[in-house]
Amino acid sequence: MKDEKNSFLSLKQFDQEPVYQIKVKSTYNYEVLVNDVPVLVKYNDYMNDNFTEINSAILSAGTQQVAVKIFPKSRPDGTLLSKLEKDIPFRLSVERTEWTKAGDLAEPEALVSYELPQARGGAQIDYSTLSEFMDTLSFTASVPYTLNGWQQSVDLRKMNREKLEADVVSFYKKLKDAFETGDLDFYKKAIAPAELLVYQASYFTKDEALAKSSTWYRFVEEKHGLEPLEPYTLQIFGSGRLVCLRGVNAPNKGEGVLRYLYKKNGMNRMLTYDLLLHQPAAGGDFEVIWFKHYDKNFFKGMAR
């Protein structure tokens, strides 16, 4: 326990700890990226009000870029319609809140509000003719920390695509094996850089970071069988410096491929470990530099 606590000694607290979050309301499917990090993804017909904190995609104060990719709605079987539609709203807001001394989040302040434009370049947009729609916006963040993250990592776009995919798949298989065999040493080494980044961006105290990590250490030690990685697609983010495997079919289309299906209170649940890898130095090992967890009802198929 002492060694784990020492690994979080670099975490800092600040007088002001602003938290940035994105809210989306739409029946469309979409992907929202902050600084080319996928922070909010929807490919289903029921999660029409979505919300997420985005600090872990903000490495330093200043202007932050948001990309919005909008796709047709889902059918009940999880497949997508071929086109967008007329008069279907898409509303997005970027908000700023802050941790108070009482340990609560202050009332959010709206920084940016976005809706689908009716025209572009002087011409009306007929959404019913489009199979997708993309747009960008920006906002200013005043986070007190500066994180190196993946900014100096290898540009993976310059690597041979087949070799890159083989190396990434090999890493995922080793991490999946760590979950299934209880290889805590491999898990700790692989996830350590991401823990420091995510916990600092979340303003965790050392004790909070230890408690969060210990929960996952216990999960690994318990040896849980995960779902198969396939089918997947390799995707590159972070201006070429982040890479991951993401699902291509419902129910985890656009999400991570490390998934644990289970039952809770009679309900089928799916726990997804979404992560992004980087390569700190050319020819070196991959490591996890960003992660996010999803735990949601699983409506299609049976849990273990």
Side-chain angles (χ1 to χ4, degrees):
M1 186 72 72
K2 183 178 180 180
D3 290 340
E4 278 81 26
K5 191 166 186 176
N6 289 340
S7 66
F8 300 126
L9 289 177
S10 64
L11 295 177
K12 300 177 182 178
Q13 269 63 60
F14 304 92
D15 292 335
Q16 290 188 310
E17 296 182 334
V19 175
Y20 295 87
Q21 52 197 30
I22 282 181
K23 293 180 179 179
V24 175
K25 184 172 185 177
S26 183
T27 55
Y28 278 138
N29 290 309
Y30 54 80
E31 297 182 9
V32 179
L33 297 91
V34 174
N35 300 322
D36 204 26
V37 174
V39 297
L40 198 55
V41 175
K42 173 186 178 287
Y43 285 102
N44 56 61
D45 60 354
Y46 54 90
M47 295 176 65
N48 299 325
D49 289 274
N50 261 337
F51 157 88
T52 188
E53 293 185 2
I54 59 174
N55 276 45
S56 61
I58 300 173
L59 299 181
S60 60
T63 302
Q64 316 297 321
Q65 303 297 328
V66 180
V68 178
K69 302 177 181 180
I70 302 172
F71 304 100
K73 294 190 294 187
S74 290
R75 300 183 180 93
D77 65 0
T79 60
L80 273 58
L81 299 173
S82 60
K83 300 290 184 182
L84 302 176
E85 303 168 53
K86 290 183 178 180
D87 302 322
I88 300 296
F90 177 92
R91 298 186 178 92
L92 177 150
S93 63
V94 180
E95 299 178 342
R96 180 192 188 278
T97 181
E98 188 169 345
W99 287 108
T100 67
K101 294 187 181 300
D104 302 317
L105 285 173
E107 186 69 21
E109 168 196 2
L111 301 179
V112 178
S113 295
Y114 173 86
E115 296 190 26
L116 287 178
Q118 297 303 306
R120 176 172 281 182
Q124 289 293 115
I125 301 175
D126 183 356
Y127 287 98
S128 65
T129 67
L130 303 179
S131 58
E132 61 182 46
F133 181 80
M134 301 185 184
D135 212 344
T136 59
L137 54 143
S138 63
F139 69 98
T140 300
S142 56
V143 293
Y145 56 78
T146 298
L147 304 172
N148 184 51
W150 49 89
Q151 296 181 94
Q152 306 302 319
S153 302
V154 174
D155 188 342
L156 303 171
R157 295 170 297 189
K158 299 177 181 179
M159 292 183 61
N160 175 274
R161 182 83 178 192
E162 289 185 2
K163 184 180 187 313
L164 174 62
E165 181 164 341
D167 290 347
V168 170
V169 170
S170 175
F171 182 94
Y172 269 80
K173 288 181 176 178
K174 290 177 182 177
L175 189 55
K176 180 175 183 287
D177 186 67
F179 277 106
E180 295 181 333
T181 64
D183 188 346
L184 188 57
D185 288 339
F186 180 86
Y187 174 83
K188 286 183 178 180
K189 181 180 178 181
I191 202 71
E195 287 182 321
L196 285 175
L197 185 146
V198 172
Y199 295 164
Q200 181 61 84
S202 303
Y203 309 113
F204 278 18
T205 65
K206 299 171 185 63
D207 288 340
E208 289 170 337
L210 178 60
K212 186 72 170 180
S213 289
S214 295
T215 298
W216 281 100
Y217 298 163
R218 289 192 295 271
F219 184 86
V220 172
E221 289 179 316
E222 290 167 359
K223 303 178 183 180
H224 294 279
L226 304 187
E227 295 300 296
L229 299 178
E230 300 83 1
Y232 58 75
T233 183
L234 181 87
Q235 293 191 333
I236 296 176
F237 295 103
S239 300
R241 290 170 168 79
L242 299 172
V243 66
C244 65
L245 301 180
R246 302 182 83 77
V248 297
N249 298 324
N252 73 311
K253 179 178 175 62
E255 296 181 358
V257 295
L258 293 173
R259 299 170 296 146
Y260 172 61
L261 273 61
Y262 69 103
K263 282 185 177 290
K264 182 177 181 180
N265 298 327
M267 296 288 293
N268 292 329
R269 306 285 300 180
M270 180 166 66
L271 175 62
T272 301
Y273 203 129
D274 209 349
L275 51 85
L276 295 172
L277 312 181
H278 76 142
Q279 191 178 43
D285 293 334
F286 282 96
E287 60 186 25
V288 184
I289 191 62
W290 183 95
F291 64 77
K292 189 174 184 178
H293 306 127
Y294 307 94
D295 191 354
K296 59 187 181 183
N297 289 337
F298 182 69
F299 298 108
K300 301 177 178 67
M302 294 299 293
R304 292 183 184 277

